[in-house]
Amino acid sequence: MIRRWVGLLMLGAVVLLLSGCWDSIELNRRAVVSGMAIDIQQGDKPKYKVSLQVIIADEISGKYSRGGAPVAVYDGEGRTVFEAVREASRKVPRYLSLGHINALIFSEELARDGIQDVLDYMERDAQIRTTSQVYLAKGQMASDIVKVMTQIGKIPSSDLAQKSQASSRLLGDNYRVEIDDVIRALQIPGGGPIINGVKVEGDLQTAPTKSNIEQINTPGILQLEGVGIFAGDKLVTWMNPHQSRGLIWISDKIQQTAMVTGCADAKGFVAYEVIRSRTQVKAELKDPEHPVIKISVRPQASIKELNCDLDVRKNAVLDQLKQELDKVIKQEMQSAVEEAKRIKSDVFGFGSVVERANPKAWNSLKSRWSDVFAHLDVEYNVQTVIRYSGMRDRSYRSQNTKEEE
Amino acid sequence: MEKNRITSFQLFALMLLFQMGTSLVVNLGMRAGRDAWISILLGMGYGLLLFGVFAFLYRLFPGMLPTVYTQILFGKYLGWVVGVVFIVFFVYQTGRDLRDGGALMLSTALKQTPLIVVNGLMIMSVAYVIHKGIEVLARTAIIFAVVVILIGSFSSILLILSGVIEMERIFPILGRGIGPVLETFYRQSYAFPFSEIICFSMLLPYLGNAKTGVKAGYIAILVSGIILSYTSMINVAVLGVDMVQRSPLPLMTTISKASISDFIQRNDILIVMTLIIDDFFKVGIYFYVALIGTADLFKIAYRKLIYPMALLVLLISLVVAKSLPEHLEEGAEILYRIDPFFFVVIPLILYIAGWIYKWRTASKKKAASSGGQLQSSAEPHGAEGAEAKQPEDTQGSDANQAQGTQGSDANQAQGTQGSDAGQPQGAQGSDAKQAQGTKGSDAGQQEDTQGAEAEQPEDTQDAQLAGSKRGSGKDQAVPDPGSEAEPTRGKTSED
């Protein structure tokens, strides 16, 4: 008898336990947030305004589409980010699901004020992945950035993430910056993070409307715009594309990029594509008080465009071009280092290089690193290899072709 | 006297999972910063040493639970008390590890679920497996060890392919000197998780093959130490030392960084799986060890104890702390003051007592063969010697009586299992070395060939006799490692 009861009890338990996960929230009760924009507010208002870009699944999949926008933006205000996010849920009919945020956008104003207070939530929350990319809205409200209709990708945030990936591969003046990269950079004494800038170019009024994607000439287009460099957690200045590429040369994040140099002695320009590159940064501490940073870069390039009369079959000519290219790359790195020195922020992580080279010296330098950094000696060594010249060797304008034949 | 209960490979799997339980996912040894991996390796060294101590004791008293041989070594009462202290420690650790697993699950995956539900489910499944016996747990361990290793390799490949590992983050090695590493070693990493293998001393008697079993134990500690050290290195290389230090579960964040062209990503669930599997075995082994220890000390069939103890453990796991930080702080700040008692002091005393015991039995034998006046020479031997002496004396006399009744039985068992002294009784009087040389049995081949070790078969035989005498004397309720019939009898009486 007891056995039967125990058996029944067990069955009941099994039914209860197998029925599902205690915490489960079905997909149709979730609102998937694809992007988050954080603005800072002045005056009496609560400190942060968080705009959540929520995917409207029906509009994406098409079948039940009502022809509306593919995403909706809801905002909430609060003294902390979490408060603001939860506050936004007054406007959202579903459970906000933050696990799929592609892009996290800070406004420039917030960045200048300091981003320290907004990152803790991103790191602490178990849902938010640290793989989300971080952007700065250059000169605009962060909420404007999440409200742009984009042509190719339906979801603006993932469109933005794809844009930055594509441009880092093709142009190479920015690279993927994720939440944990920013947090790590904040920990470096005398250092600071770098964050890609983003901007709505054109008409801010039309950008959120459907007519933004109805024209060939997109009125408001979301695009990457420079790189913001920080001292500590505060945005100080923006790097121009040349400087930011210099920074990326140093950080060894170059995948591919396009370079242009003059034609040695002749008039005109040569364009190269850098196929791959390897950078090594070393610190030399003969005098522990005055470290010397040695950067050696080994890019491999191929000629993409040759607008002058050069015979690139000849090794001597290639050597000349290589010299030119080395000089340009070196200049880019120099200008990036000068800019960082000017604001006294070790965005390259030279501090860690020194620490690896000589932990003891680093301990004494650590506390005044930003001052040491401002007067740091940096040596550059660029050794480009021009590997290919493309489908032709000489240009069609070349004189020697005719003479030879 | 069926004794082949867990194979060496099963022991290996059990130990591997046990060592990785919770310690794989937490920020192990991060007090040492980026040199945590070194302190983990040091901890592994200590684990090997400690396992060596218990392997020595196991060879000295094969087929005996530590709760039995502490009574031989320390005397009946003190030995019993030591046994009880250990059991209490094991029960508490079961509760702690249950809480560990539950709390880590809650803080990452199941935020809404009450702790009691998660812990209750875990202890229920553990109790179920334990009810089925150690063999079932051991067989399950093999399957899950494979699963865990597959998950581990898959995650490693993912991390390598997604290019998030930056090895330069683990440099400089020993940048702050050896100090922090040593501090971490004595504060944490010698104890957690490596010293916890002391509970395998309770499982060693279940081994089928003593020699390969002990070897498997060493290998398991080595492998798990390397895995843990490697994990710590990967964590730092992916996240940077600061972030690892600040996260209770760095492996979750590390693995979430792995993403292959936005297609294979969000693999944190793999880590949650590993956490559940490893924690299951850790709780399971602690629980089993606590059970058989209690059963042996109080002479109750261990299956009767399972459910009451499960409730007790569940209760401990719930009340041990009110929050995860408090729980972790308890682990880091309080336990390290208590741990040395279990992980250093008692094993050391046991080891010394074991040597004295061994020496005494050996000299007694020598004296017995050469005329029979040894007792006086063995007398002056400090407290341990005196303690050890007492049971020995009684045992010596008992052994003779028991020999007639138990002798054949013991012989049979030893002969079939071939792990211990499979030496015929007749040879006992003569020199052990000679006996080994002539008989060429399993025992002879498997014992170490050192002079000291060579005498072991005799010691062990004495011990075995004492053990079997004990077993037959009282109605043995313990799942004496060796008797298959007992537990089943216990079960039938339950019904």
Side-chain angles (χ1 to χ4, degrees), chain B residues 89-269:
Chain B
F89 179 70
F90 287 148
V91 172
Y92 174 71
Q93 284 288 350
T94 318
R96 264 196 75 79
D97 279 309
L98 187 59
R99 175 61 176 261
D100 265 340
L104 294 178
M105 284 285 298
L106 294 198
S107 67
T108 53
L110 310 169
K111 275 173 234 142
Q112 304 283 300
T113 317
L115 187 63
I116 187 168
V117 174
V118 175
N119 283 3
L121 284 176
M122 178 62 97
I123 196 69
M124 265 162 68
S125 38
V126 165
Y128 175 72
V129 173
I130 298 295
H131 190 90
K132 291 282 167 202
I134 182 70
E135 258 184 295
V136 176
L137 187 69
R139 280 202 299 264
T140 325
I142 289 185
I143 298 170
F144 280 110
V146 171
V147 170
V148 165
I149 285 170
L150 282 180
I151 290 178
S153 348
F154 178 67
S155 311
S156 297
I157 292 169
L158 274 186
L159 283 169
I160 291 165
L161 290 184
S162 41
V164 288
I165 299 178
E166 290 186 24
M167 278 324 263
E168 62 204 33
R169 289 195 181 124
I170 67 163
F171 293 103
I173 292 167
L174 293 179
R176 289 185 296 150
I178 192 91
V181 173
L182 291 180
E183 195 199 336
T184 315
F185 171 71
Y186 91 83
R187 284 290 293 255
Q188 187 192 33
S189 51
Y190 87 90
F192 178 72
F194 296 105
S195 284
E196 293 181 280
I197 51 110
I198 56 167
C199 65
F200 276 90
S201 64
M202 302 282 278
L203 292 186
L204 286 179
Y206 292 91
L207 269 178
N209 184 332
K211 201 184 176 195
T212 56
V214 168
K215 206 183 274 175
Y218 283 124
I219 296 172
I221 296 173
L222 219 90
V223 169
S224 58
I226 290 167
I227 289 176
L228 290 174
S229 180
Y230 162 80
T231 311
S232 158
M233 239 192 240
I234 291 286
N235 276 337
V236 173
V238 172
L239 298 178
V241 61
D242 168 78
M243 207 177 278
V244 181
Q245 272 175 321
R246 284 183 297 116
S247 42
L249 283 147
L251 200 56
M252 293 278 285
T253 319
T254 301
I255 202 72
S256 73
K257 291 291 291 177
S259 147
I260 294 181
S261 57
D262 291 339
F263 175 62
I264 303 173
Q265 53 177 347
R266 312 191 195 275
N267 303 295
D268 345 14
I269 197 65

Side-chain angles (χ1 to χ4, degrees), chain A residues 230-282:
Chain A
F230 286 64
D233 72 324
K234 291 184 176 58
L235 173 70
V236 181
T237 182
W238 293 88
M239 277 187 171
N240 64 37
H242 277 286
Q243 289 167 335
S244 63
R245 189 159 59 191
L247 188 146
I248 287 157
W249 282 116
I250 297 173
S251 345
D252 196 18
K253 300 270 188 189
I254 286 278
Q255 290 177 305
Q256 288 182 21
T257 185
M259 309 285 299
V260 176
T261 68
C263 272
D265 309 324
K267 256 187 166 182
F269 293 103
V270 191
Y272 310 85
E273 180 183 36
V274 172
I275 315 158
R276 64 179 70 88
S277 164
R278 174 104 183 87
T279 306
Q280 278 186 316
V281 183
K282 289 205 172 96

